[in-house]
Amino acid sequence: MYPGCTWEMPGDDNAVYLTFDDGPDPVVTPYVLDILAEYRVKATFFCIGKNVVLYPEIYHRILAEGHSVGNHTQNHLSGWKVKDDAYLNDVQEAARYIRSDLFRPPYGRATRYQMKCLRESGFNMKMIMWTVLSGDFDTGIKPEKCYQNVAVNLRPGAIITFHDSRKAEPRLRYALPEVLKKMALEGLEGRAL
Ligand SMILES: [Zn+2]
């Protein structure tokens, strides 16, 4: 459907790739960083530019602890709902605060043209999608279901999406520790993109 997008990493070693969208958040992101440190897992945080402006110290903590960051636009725009130049300008604004060549479109929604622009000269970004959505953003599902969504797809090379947001927090606080336990049991290393 989307050429040039990454949905999974090579599974030739024992690494899985946890990703956290929509932060930094002053409550949820420190919780995530603490538990990742406890399990010695590195991950990737697709940050919203306006949240980096609000919480720069948490953004810097993400980097200081050896994780990767990616651009998730300045204002969490859906590329399907705004004009191309408005979308690209929003990504560019976020790039002032987020130094990264990794990009994930909010809602997974950007047009082919927008993605082509972001991959090519000027931006040179890598489009990172996901193998597994935990569903933690879905207030209609139980935390156990959120864990199961990940558990059944946990394999080397998988890119797993969680959210370090208040909305996702009740499900994240259950599912993330369970996923980290399962990774440890199965000898899967958590690696940053
Ligand atoms: Zn998002």
Side-chain angles (χ1 to χ4, degrees), residues 86-106:
Y87 192 73
L88 297 172
N89 285 339
D90 204 66
V91 177
Q92 196 156 35
E93 191 185 352
R96 290 170 56 199
Y97 307 106
I98 303 159
R99 291 282 166 84
S100 176
D101 64 351
L102 305 176
F103 179 77
R104 175 176 283 163

Side-chain angles (χ1 to χ4, degrees), residues 55-77:
Y55 309 111
E57 67 292 348
I58 301 170
Y59 175 77
H60 290 298
R61 187 181 157 196
I62 293 170
L63 292 172
E65 296 187 8
H67 304 289
S68 295
V69 292
N71 186 321
H72 198 49
T73 76
Q74 184 69 13
N75 293 290
H76 208 259
L77 299 184

Side-chain angles (χ1 to χ4, degrees), residues 139-170:
T139 55
I141 69 167
K142 291 198 157 48
E144 293 80 3
K145 170 65 177 157
C146 181
Y147 165 68
Q148 282 303 328
N149 288 341
V150 178
V152 298
N153 291 291
L154 197 65
R155 59 174 183 270
I159 301 171
I160 295 156
T161 297
F162 287 104
H163 292 77
D164 48 337
S165 70
R166 300 294 173 94
K167 190 181 175 193
E169 187 181 6

Side-chain angles (χ1 to χ4, degrees), residues 24-65:
D25 175 90
V27 173
V28 186
T29 308
Y31 161 74
V32 170
L33 290 170
D34 287 347
I35 195 160
L36 292 179
E38 194 182 318
Y39 282 87
R40 299 175 189 276
V41 159
K42 300 299 181 201
T44 305
F45 291 76
F46 286 93
C47 296
I48 298 173
K50 69 177 180 185
N51 288 345
V52 175
V53 172
L54 285 170
Y55 309 111
E57 67 292 348
I58 301 170
Y59 175 77
H60 290 298
R61 187 181 157 196
I62 293 170
L63 292 172
E65 296 187 8

